[in-house]
Amino acid sequence: MSVTLPNAPVRRPRVIVLGNEKGGSGKSTAAAVFARLGARIVDVDRIGREVAEVGGRAHGRLVERFGAGIVADGRLDRAALAAQVFGHPDALADLNAISHPAINEVLAEEVAAADPDDIVIFDQAVLVESPILGRWGTGPGEGYQDVIVVETPLETRVERLVSQRKMDPADARARIASQVS
């Protein structure tokens, strides 16, 4: 015979957010170190790309808001979308309001799939301006427990965005400036 206590605490994995001081900080390198130590890494940036892509959970609403010009050759044209949102606070707020709930759904699924003994690290670029990422529930133990921030000098971040993502230096600076965290 088994007995279920109605208010027994639910064991959940420990969730930590690994954020950065804006783009190009090196948080992915830090995430790789944690992965080697056994942490389960959830790439929130990848999830954000997936929910926005054609067929993704947020794609239809993004096209409604930003227009068909954000789609090229059957795929999301990330550069076209970025041109509309970075440096334009109202458009960026709309992008976040559309994409964050979809991202949060996937985060909840990732945590639910984790073993209660796991350490789950959300590798995510935005912390302060994201009021919902990492907070998928309202009960005790839901959401993240810790935040680790990776800081890097501005010029190093710009150089990384230019060399790794082939961004124009002015675009890299605009993207960094549009992020609070």
Side-chain angles (χ1 to χ4, degrees), residues 10-135:
V10 176
R11 286 190 62 225
R12 291 182 171 76
R14 181 172 194 82
V15 179
I16 299 171
V17 174
L18 174 64
N20 64 334
E21 182 194 37
K22 306 185 181 186
S25 70
K27 74 175 171 49
S28 296
T29 301
V33 170
F34 286 112
R36 284 194 302 273
L37 294 172
R40 179 182 176 133
I41 306 299
V42 177
D43 184 344
V44 180
D45 295 339
R46 177 190 52 79
I47 293 169
R49 290 187 298 275
E50 289 174 358
V51 301
E53 191 56 67
V54 173
R57 299 178 193 205
H59 181 76
R61 292 196 56 220
L62 291 172
V63 171
E64 286 175 18
R65 165 57 179 88
F66 297 104
I70 66 168
V71 178
D73 300 321
R75 297 192 50 116
L76 178 70
D77 183 342
R78 300 191 64 73
L81 180 59
Q84 289 191 46
V85 299
F86 292 110
H88 306 280
D90 290 341
L92 181 59
D94 290 346
L95 171 65
N96 291 341
I98 294 167
S99 61
H100 288 177
I103 294 168
N104 235 25
E105 290 174 7
V106 178
L107 293 179
E109 292 164 6
E110 291 281 346
V111 171
D115 184 275
D117 293 324
D118 285 348
I119 293 178
V120 178
I121 295 183
F122 292 168
D123 176 0
Q124 83 183 49
V126 292
L127 298 174
V128 175
E129 61 271 64
S130 177
I132 59 174
L133 286 180
R135 286 176 250 161

